[in-house]
Amino acid sequence: MLKVKCYSGYKANERPKSFTINDREFLIKEILDQWYTPGCLYFKVRDDNNHTYILKYNQAQDLWALEFFEKGK
């Protein structure tokens, strides 16, 4: 199960700070890219181990999903 902790400034879930998968937390070191589609926000992020992920946030359902993973070098 994916849980995402976010920074919320002027709006909710403005950007992810960390995420947890099966009780293991991954701290986001860097947001590499961010884009929008109708109803969804996407964040391409890098963690402390230089792994890359794409996280998708469905605004209508208030639901996060892991869309992509690439192991760091």
Side-chain angles (χ1 to χ4, degrees), residues 5-16:
K5 291 182 185 174
C6 292
Y7 168 80
S8 295
Y10 69 95
K11 63 180 181 175
N13 296 327
E14 196 168 319
R15 67 178 178 268

Side-chain angles (χ1 to χ4, degrees), residues 25-67:
E25 186 173 27
F26 300 86
L27 298 176
I28 295 173
K29 180 174 85 172
E30 181 180 9
I31 295 177
L32 303 170
D33 198 3
Q34 175 180 341
W35 63 94
Y36 305 88
T37 63
C40 295
L41 301 172
Y42 290 84
F43 297 90
K44 184 175 184 179
V45 300
R46 183 173 291 137
D47 72 3
D48 290 2
N49 295 314
N50 287 325
H51 301 319
T52 302
Y53 306 84
I54 294 179
L55 301 172
K56 174 185 170 183
Y57 177 60
N58 183 312
Q59 295 170 303
Q61 296 178 347
D62 190 27
L63 183 67
W64 286 91
L66 178 63
E67 295 289 306

